[in-house]
Amino acid sequence: MSFFRTSTLHLSTLHTKLRRELWQMRGQTLAIALVIAGGIAVCLLSLVNYSSLTATREQYYQEHQFADVFADLKRAPRHVLQRAADLPGVTRLSGRVEGVAKLEVPGFSDPASARLVSLPPVGQPDVNRIFLRNGRLPHAAHSDEVAVIGSFADAHDLRPGDQLGAIINGRRQTLTIVGIVESPEFIYVIPPGAMLPDYDRYGVLWMPEEALASAMDMRGAFNSLVLQVDPSFPVAGVIDLLDRLLAPYGSTGAYAREDQFSHRFLSDELNQLKTMALVFPTIFMAVAMFLLNVVITRLISTQRDIIAVLKAFGYGNWQIGWHYSQLVLAIALIGYAIGTAAGLWLGRALGVLYMEFYRFPELLFRISPWWLLLLGLLTLLVAWLGGWRAIHHAASLPPAEAMRPEAPASYQVTLAERLLSWIRFSQPSRMIVRQLARRPARAALSVTGIAMATAIVMVGNFQFSSVSLMVYTQFAKVQQQDLTVSLTDPVHQSAMYGMARQPGVRYVEGRRVVAVELVNSHRQWRTALTGIPDQARLQFVVDEHLNQVPIPPAGLLLTDFLATRLGLAAGDTVQVKVLEAERPVLDLQVAGVTSEFLGVGAYMNLAAMNRALKDGAVVNQVLMNLDPDQAETVYRDLRDTPRVMALNVRQAMLDSFFETLAKTFLTFTWVISVLGGIIAFGVIYNTVRISLAERGRDLASLRVLGYSHNEVAHILLGELAILLILGIPLGWAIGHGLASLVVTMMQTELYRVPLIISGRTLALAANVVIVSALVSGFITWWRLRNLDLVAVLKTRE
């Protein structure tokens, strides 16, 4: 019984010591906890958004019967639907009429267009059902009623009862909005010929089937088919059977959900969130683990006498080890609690931002309790491993050795002093040089800590410069046209001459965009093949150095992202399945590979493309430079021009970039930057505070010997300045490597962030670290000013 009473007393005493130490070290404890919290917060905000958006998408898809297979065609009689329904594996389908409309929005002068989708005479379609946000669905008996997608309605503040002017298949009519809706098919709404959403200028309208069929001359027929497949049946088999069935009706080739535009880009975003949840927390937790090792090692070195006394009073190695383990775990738990609260809050806030972008009806805020538990266990494990070496050293320290102070340093002229002998150092400066030179391992750890803090800030900020380069490349170097006109069908290039003579048009240039599937062995990719004319002036291809890349006279020019996905290199041959008109299959050589930041491109000389397709000199896109004073006149004339399908304004695409991609991407980056700054402060503050704890007696002795407060502070802060001078450049190098890792892992089809480390990024990282050092230095200077010389100078002798 006496043994248990003694053990309980020992544990109680150690718990009291632990509480006191945590309170006495509250500044350091909080600083380390914030480092851990940064990693937890980044991990959770990524996981929360990934799990929440994934769960929301899956429920949305399931409840609204999102299609597994899509097929577009010219025209097929409706009796073909029954044959399609009888195909093996097909569980349900919807045959639709689709079209395009040029819109006249009251109070909005820029060109606007919409995709038109038919609704069945009664109720909802069997596949791709729509979610009614406000109002009702169009009535089959009213041909002028439409439901409009929420993104377009919100951009123009449209409500049920408002009217839109529309030109459908060359005929003008007035449409009345009766409902505001969302659709799983159009979470990501992209105008034809664009890569980014433009909610102001492009929307989706749903009309009664009879009304749209009449407007599009499609009575008794359909030109779009969506269907669902039995999960046990391979989708590829259904696509093959469907292609055979629809080939006589001008099908462009069925494709799976994975290739559907909205779903593909949403999946890329979710995968990127998952990548962020892995990369950034790993970096942050590695820094936290390193910092804990440094802090605990140096803390224990200042408590040698305390450890000796504890062992003299009967405390065993296990109890000492567990005591310091509790100290580490307590700091980790504080960091975990702060990080969990911050991560969940930031995750919900970022989720709301993503909701504005993706247009889900509602957000299912989900985070698995098992993930929280696993993250907590990993945090404790990582923290304990970070301090394990120091804990083991404390537990195994013999009492007799612990009772003795650490052996004094060898007081001889150091190599650094000999190399710098030509400099007339003051006595405090000489002390700084000696201290660093005689403890090179400790100095190296401090330099590494500062370098990691610098690297963390760099990783959080380099993407601002990268996004700026993406914008400049895409909207200043690559796209120099003011307006892109997409046509319903290819026209002879002579049609451009009539456009060029319109008032307000300064220059026109034609090109051709064809939907294709590129196939290399078992790899395939659906994309657009763009025919670019010789000596293109308005839109062309540039390489990673922003130099214009000439389009080869024959063969394809592929972006590196696409070439890598297809396993192709210059000189290889790729099969090109054209998904339009007669759907020829071509074997073309890859003439070159280049880089591109936005989208996935395949390019060809326009004349060579037309020859390969056995067409004349035709184009289906016209690029224009306009007189700004007459731009609205040009928009109005083109809106009334037959065969003009859509108008894309370059400035609108730039605005869309910042409103969509940049808004979500840079918001996440900003959060990372703030957390990186917190980590930098935690690293610097602990470095200074530990140095003060280790050298408190020496500095107090100097004060007693007559040194002023500022001279003593100069010794400690001068040492910090040297560590900063050494650590910041090293941090730049480490940050460059980490940024390269982030760029590699965050590539998507929508965009590839270039690795751009600008002088501004380097300066910002250095400034954050320097400001952290100044704040920490001021706190230390204040503590030195109020140093209790008597208490510090007490010794055991």
Side-chain angles (χ1 to χ4, degrees), residues 304-305 400-408 796-797:
R304 291 170 58 91
D305 53 346
E401 181 181 343
M403 290 293 290
R404 293 194 302 268
E406 287 188 273
R796 294 167 295 176
E797 285 81 18

Side-chain angles (χ1 to χ4, degrees), residues 503-661:
V505 178
R506 292 178 173 174
Y507 179 76
V508 299
E509 184 174 284
R511 65 178 188 173
R512 187 176 183 185
V513 180
V514 178
V516 298
E517 183 177 51
L518 304 180
V519 180
N520 180 36
S521 183
H522 65 284
R523 302 177 181 181
Q524 57 188 25
W525 195 275
R526 290 176 69 100
T527 186
L529 178 61
T530 303
I532 297 180
D534 293 322
Q535 306 302 319
R537 290 170 50 186
L538 295 186
Q539 186 165 344
F540 39 80
V541 183
V542 297
D543 59 20
E544 64 271 19
H545 304 296
L546 304 187
N547 298 318
Q548 183 173 348
V549 178
I551 303 298
L556 301 181
L557 179 66
L558 302 181
T559 57
D560 49 4
F561 180 88
L562 183 56
T564 300
R565 290 298 180 93
L566 292 172
L568 294 171
D572 294 342
T573 299
V574 60
Q575 188 180 72
V576 181
K577 295 182 178 179
V578 180
L579 304 178
E580 297 180 6
E582 300 299 324
R583 299 186 65 186
V585 178
L586 310 173
D587 290 323
L588 299 177
Q589 187 180 52
V590 178
V593 177
T594 187
S595 297
E596 203 168 55
F597 298 141
L598 292 177
V600 176
Y603 304 97
M604 193 173 181
N605 178 273
L606 177 59
M609 174 192 284
N610 284 330
R611 285 195 301 269
L613 297 178
K614 298 180 180 179
D615 292 328
V618 298
V619 296
N620 61 1
Q621 278 191 356
V622 180
L623 314 181
M624 295 183 175
N625 274 349
L626 307 178
D627 182 347
D629 296 332
Q630 300 187 62
E632 291 187 14
T633 302
V634 176
Y635 298 156
R636 186 170 56 253
D637 292 343
L638 289 172
R639 186 171 56 206
D640 297 333
T641 302
R643 306 182 76 174
V644 172
M645 178 174 64
L647 306 176
N648 294 321
V649 182
R650 182 184 62 165
Q651 184 60 44
M653 289 189 284
L654 179 59
D655 295 340
S656 173
F657 178 87
F658 283 110
E659 284 297 317
T660 54
L661 172 63

Side-chain angles (χ1 to χ4, degrees), residues 282-432:
T282 301
I283 295 172
F284 281 33
M285 293 303 286
V287 174
M289 186 173 177
F290 166 80
L291 183 59
L292 274 170
N293 178 266
V294 174
V295 171
I296 299 303
T297 300
R298 297 177 75 171
L299 174 67
I300 290 175
S301 70
T302 64
Q303 296 196 2
R304 291 170 58 91
D305 53 346
I306 298 176
I307 294 172
V309 171
L310 290 174
K311 291 195 171 186
F313 277 92
Y315 289 88
N317 291 350
W318 181 89
Q319 291 171 311
I320 299 293
W322 176 237
H323 168 68
Y324 285 105
S325 295
Q326 285 179 303
L327 178 63
V328 172
L329 296 178
I331 295 173
L333 283 174
I334 294 172
Y336 175 73
I338 297 173
T340 300
L344 293 176
W345 180 77
L346 289 171
R348 180 179 286 276
L350 197 60
V352 172
L353 179 64
Y354 275 106
M355 284 291 291
E356 296 178 8
F357 186 39
Y358 293 123
R359 315 297 305 181
F360 290 122
E362 60 178 345
L363 177 67
L364 298 178
F365 189 76
R366 296 281 177 86
I367 182 68
S368 171
W370 292 107
W371 284 5
L372 292 176
L373 178 61
L374 177 61
L375 194 57
L377 293 175
L378 286 175
T379 301
L380 296 178
L381 178 61
V382 167
W384 187 80
L385 288 175
W388 176 83
R389 186 171 177 272
I391 293 169
H392 180 265
H393 177 72
S396 58
L397 194 64
E401 181 181 343
M403 290 293 290
R404 293 194 302 268
E406 287 188 273
S410 174
Y411 288 99
Q412 60 183 5
V413 178
T414 63
L415 176 62
E417 289 179 275
R418 287 197 293 270
L419 294 176
L420 299 175
S421 59
W422 55 276
I423 302 176
R424 296 181 64 86
F425 286 116
S426 65
Q427 193 60 35
S429 298
R430 191 179 300 277
M431 293 179 185
I432 294 172

Side-chain angles (χ1 to χ4, degrees), residues 103 108 110-115 149-156 187-204 261 357 359 475 482-484 635 646-661:
L103 303 180
F108 187 71
D110 283 9
S113 59
R115 180 172 177 176
I149 197 161
S151 56
F152 189 77
D154 291 345
H156 296 284
I187 295 172
Y188 204 99
V189 184
I190 306 291
M195 294 179 293
L196 296 167
D198 186 355
Y199 299 142
D200 287 311
R201 297 164 185 82
Y202 187 72
V204 183
F261 205 81
F357 186 39
R359 315 297 305 181
F475 299 107
D482 298 317
L483 180 68
T484 301
Y635 298 156
L647 306 176
N648 294 321
V649 182
R650 182 184 62 165
Q651 184 60 44
M653 289 189 284
L654 179 59
D655 295 340
S656 173
F657 178 87
F658 283 110
E659 284 297 317
T660 54
L661 172 63

Side-chain angles (χ1 to χ4, degrees), residues 748-766:
T748 69
E749 179 184 354
L750 179 57
Y751 59 87
R752 274 78 60 198
V753 179
L755 178 58
I756 302 297
I757 307 295
S758 66
R760 179 182 176 185
T761 301
L762 298 176
L764 180 61

